[in-house]
Amino acid sequence: MFKGFTRFLQHPGERLKNFFATQEGAGQSPGMRIIPREDHPVSRSLFSDAALKVLYRLHNAGFEAYLVGGCIRDALLGKQPKDFDVATDATPEQLRDLFRNSRIIGRRFRIVHVRFGREIIEVTTFRGRPNDDHGEHVSRQSEEGLLLRDNVWGNIEEDARRRDFTVNALYYNIADFSIHDWADGARDIESRTLRLIGDPETRYREDPVRMLRAVRFAAKLGFQLDADTASPIHELAPLLLQIPPARLFDEVLKLFLAGHALDTFRMLREYQLFAMLFPEAEESMHELPWAEALIEQALTSTDARIHQDRPVTPAFLFAAFLWPGMVQRQHTLEDEGMPPVPAQQTAAQQAVTREVQHIAIPKRFSLPMRDIWELQQRLPRRNGKRAFQTRDHPRFRAAYDFLLLREKAGEIEPGLGQWWSAFQEADDHERHRLLGKVDTGPNSRPKKRRSRKRRRQSAPNQND
Ligand code: ATP
Ligand code: MG
């Protein structure tokens, strides 16, 4: 890593006096360590102009202003930070007065968005410790310890204690470019450890989404979960069922669209968190021999596209997660005598209805997802004009990619995908030759249609 920072971490004793704050009073504590500018590699050139503008305007107006969270963590890890979170002692109302281009958002956790063109800087007022003096409108906790509202203002020290992980509680001070390390986060960055601040079980009960964040950061940063941070997760995973599906949807996008979807998925399963997000997908992976491979292939190709800077759509990922369960439902309906097309429509509807109780998938993603599914029935039927109509469908490309996944995963015999690859590349003459071969061509009958287990439609599901 960078020289000064490593030296500081290896020989903290040498410079102890500099690092441990000596003054008493607000904002200082014996546990806080100040890393001066010359001992860390985080330079202002890593920050966006918008982030710097916010910091300076706050500073010039007499407020405290720090960059905190992912941007400082990532900068210390030698990565270019993407989004910037500012922490300050200015209240949301004071922020609104200071920045014309700002908006207060959130109820559970009020923050201010300051907008500069397409960039948004998130500005958060220091959180304090809720106590009985505060009314319900600022702070509320359920009997199980879940924080329903967290809008009590405090000082930076209290704010640091309420953050999730030690590596997320590093504050870059615009006043002197030092970093304030409140929870030994610098050391955990050096040893690549993800550690919750405070008692892990209490912190997960306050906000179960922290379990997902633990997995997300561990997978993204290649960090180990500290043993005490990891151990309560198995038991507490079901607390995620209390989280509003709309919040989980946002979280799911962050989990799977950050370029580390496969590692994240495996780790989520290891901690039994995945089943809380996609219960039917988890069940189907135990019942269908190809389901896990299909989902893993989808995640692998999502990661590859992100690393190549190619666009990805969540609709494709949701299509893969929910497909195996939908197929099982469809087979049950077909066995009951329903023809394939309505059986798939009904099965799709049922699968989505169950899933949105957990993850609020907006229609703008669930509709294209269902198109991708529906096209799976049309791809084998290529007679006459059909092949051309299918090729011209707006969702054809995604559906074709999805077909390739199904073949690779072993759900269906390979062949149809290759036909479509050839058809897309062919000239007119070659296309007609390919169409002539359709009757004897490959089809998409499931390989092991009979290996599925029957689903009892009427039995209430425990996870619902
Ligand atoms: P990234 O932006 O790379 O996903 P981040 O750490 O910046 O990572 P954000 O969701 O942007 O994550 O949150 C900013 C900071 O706010 C975090 O670093 C953390 O200090 C704090 N924070 C966010 N969510 C929580 C939470 N659920 N509990 C406690 N602190 C949180
Ligand atoms: Mg952030």
Side-chain angles (χ1 to χ4, degrees):
M1 214 194 270
F2 23 86
K3 245 168 96 201
F5 188 58
T6 308
R7 192 190 58 227
F8 148 69
L9 289 166
Q10 283 168 351
H11 308 285
E14 258 178 38
R15 323 191 64 171
L16 212 60
K17 279 208 188 90
N18 290 339
F19 291 131
F20 287 89
T22 47
Q23 308 114 286
E24 309 242 301
Q28 301 290 344
S29 101
M32 196 270 276
R33 179 186 299 183
I34 294 176
I35 310 173
R37 173 63 189 95
E38 62 270 24
D39 283 330
H40 70 72
V42 179
S43 103
R44 271 168 298 163
S45 64
L46 290 170
F47 307 144
S48 71
D49 290 346
L52 289 170
K53 261 188 214 155
V54 172
L55 292 170
Y56 279 120
R57 192 169 311 166
L58 282 166
H59 180 68
N60 293 337
F63 294 110
E64 293 179 59
Y66 299 85
L67 277 175
V68 64
C71 58
I72 302 305
R73 176 196 72 218
D74 291 351
L76 285 171
L77 287 164
K79 299 176 196 240
Q80 173 66 46
K82 301 181 309 309
D83 68 54
F84 298 94
D85 301 301
V86 171
T88 179
D89 57 350
T91 63
E93 288 71 23
Q94 289 171 323
L95 288 164
R96 272 275 302 282
D97 292 343
L98 211 50
F99 299 98
R100 259 188 314 116
N101 46 340
S102 67
R103 218 153 65 93
I104 300 178
I105 62 157
R107 242 162 62 95
R108 192 185 65 86
F109 198 86
R110 285 174 79 209
I111 57 176
V112 174
H113 275 178
V114 185
R115 179 182 282 279
F116 295 87
R118 293 178 60 190
E119 188 175 354
I120 290 177
I121 306 296
E122 237 174 64
V123 187
T124 312
T125 307
F126 294 145
R127 259 35 181 200
R129 205 200 317 229
N131 63 39
D132 296 340
D133 300 345
H134 297 104
E136 276 230 322
H137 61 288
V138 289
S139 154
R140 205 147 70 88
Q141 201 156 8
S142 77
E143 276 172 23
E144 295 82 37
L146 186 73
L147 268 181
L148 300 169
R149 204 157 290 178
D150 189 4
N151 291 316
V152 176
W153 313 141
N155 59 34
I156 184 170
E157 177 175 3
E158 293 166 318
D159 187 79
R161 249 187 244 132
R162 301 184 66 72
R163 295 199 173 253
D164 47 8
F165 301 98
T166 61
V167 296
N168 284 348
L170 292 155
Y171 293 69
Y172 174 94
N173 187 0
I174 197 63
D176 61 4
F177 317 130
S178 64
I179 291 177
H180 293 202
D181 180 358
W182 288 92
D184 252 347
R187 208 155 304 179
D188 283 339
I189 284 196
E190 183 81 333
S191 65
R192 309 186 83 79
T193 305
L194 200 67
R195 190 192 314 273
L196 268 174
I197 296 171
D199 170 56
E201 181 166 341
T202 310
R203 302 305 312 280
Y204 290 137
R205 284 189 186 281
E206 280 173 3
D207 183 3
V209 170
R210 289 174 186 150
M211 293 186 276
L212 299 177
R213 291 174 60 87
V215 169
R216 175 156 71 87
F217 293 132
K220 169 178 150 178
L221 306 170
F223 278 28
Q224 292 289 325
L225 284 186
D226 162 67
D228 292 338
T229 294
S231 63
I233 298 183
H234 277 122
E235 199 193 315
L236 300 181
L239 293 177
L240 282 172
L241 300 174
Q242 304 172 5
I243 303 298
R247 186 170 175 217
L248 286 184
F249 171 75
D250 293 342
E251 217 45 50
V252 160
L253 293 192
K254 291 188 203 161
L255 283 166
F256 296 112
L257 298 178
H260 306 274
L262 185 63
D263 289 344
T264 304
F265 168 74
R266 289 182 173 164
M267 209 168 155
L268 287 172
R269 289 193 77 199
E270 183 189 328
Y271 286 102
Q272 284 153 35
L273 292 165
F274 186 75
M276 302 303 144
L277 305 175
F278 295 96
E280 194 156 299
E282 183 61 45
E283 288 158 25
S284 67
M285 285 188 280
H286 297 280
E287 292 167 6
L288 296 169
W290 48 266
E292 181 179 76
L294 180 102
I295 291 172
E296 292 211 341
Q297 294 279 355
L299 296 168
T300 305
S301 78
T302 302
D303 285 343
R305 289 180 76 100
I306 287 172
H307 290 129
Q308 295 157 9
D309 253 342
R310 290 163 66 200
V312 291
T313 164
F316 190 81
L317 265 186
F318 288 118
F321 284 146
L322 304 188
W323 173 259
M326 191 285 291
V327 167
Q328 284 181 298
R329 289 175 183 275
Q330 183 184 343
H331 288 162
T332 306
L333 294 166
E334 284 180 35
D335 290 347
E336 289 164 8
M338 203 185 274
V341 171
Q344 195 197 70
Q345 276 168 4
T346 309
Q349 185 60 55
Q350 290 173 349
V352 171
T353 301
R354 179 171 178 203
E355 181 56 37
V356 295
Q357 292 168 23
H358 299 270
I359 311 291
I361 307 173
K363 287 250 165 25
R364 69 178 188 281
F365 298 127
S366 64
L367 294 179
M369 171 187 90
R370 291 182 61 171
D371 283 347
I372 294 171
W373 287 353
E374 200 204 307
L375 280 162
Q376 300 308 303
Q377 289 189 325
R378 284 167 55 175
L379 286 165
R381 298 195 238 114
R382 290 152 291 160
N383 291 328
K385 285 191 201 145
R386 281 180 170 165
F388 293 96
Q389 286 166 346
T390 300
R391 183 203 57 185
D392 294 338
H393 191 287
R395 229 65 78 184
F396 167 74
R397 189 64 210 193
Y400 160 75
D401 286 341
F402 198 75
L403 173 71
L404 296 180
L405 283 190
R406 295 172 63 210
E407 291 188 350
K408 259 201 214 153
E411 182 201 352
I412 50 176
E413 299 288 352
L416 184 59
Q418 210 189 347
W419 187 94
W420 276 105
S421 309
F423 186 74
Q424 289 174 81
E425 286 159 18
D427 56 21
D428 276 357
H429 174 75
E430 176 63 9
R431 278 207 182 113
H432 282 99
R433 199 186 64 76
L434 283 164
L435 286 169
K437 283 174 45 178
V438 160
D439 281 343
T440 53
N443 62 38
S444 72
R445 290 309 299 161
K447 257 180 158 176
K448 297 174 188 139
R449 172 82 162 77
R450 295 288 143 195
S451 65
R452 74 193 188 277
K453 284 196 185 145
R454 279 180 179 274
R455 176 182 299 279
R456 276 174 299 143
Q457 290 293 312
S458 54
N461 196 295
Q462 288 182 339
N463 288 321
D464 279 353

